[in-house]
Amino acid sequence: MKAKFYTQFQVEQASNHRDNVFSGIVELNGGDPASVDAAQIERMLADSFDLNIDHLSLVSWHRLH
């Protein structure tokens, strides 16, 4: 089952010592959308943007209907 989530996440950039906040829609395929947690979304975002997961933190997220 597909589930869409609106996310806001922060990326720490070592090059300029600033944090950048981004937002967007994340679509997850498979599994139970009710069991999705912040760690899963953080991993997916880090993988998608080729970031070290230690440099990314989820600010907020909620499921879109």
Side-chain angles (χ1 to χ4, degrees), residues 5 9 13 16 26-28 30 33 47 49 54 56 60 64:
F5 297 87
F9 57 98
Q13 292 184 332
N16 62 9
V26 172
E27 185 173 339
L28 301 175
D47 289 345
F49 293 107
D54 295 333
L56 185 140
S60 67
L64 299 175

Side-chain angles (χ1 to χ4, degrees), residues 8-12 18-22 51 55-59:
Q8 289 184 314
F9 57 98
Q10 188 171 356
V11 177
E12 174 190 327
R18 293 180 52 187
D19 292 340
N20 295 304
V21 177
F22 301 93
L51 297 169
H55 296 157
L56 185 140
S57 61
L58 200 54
V59 175

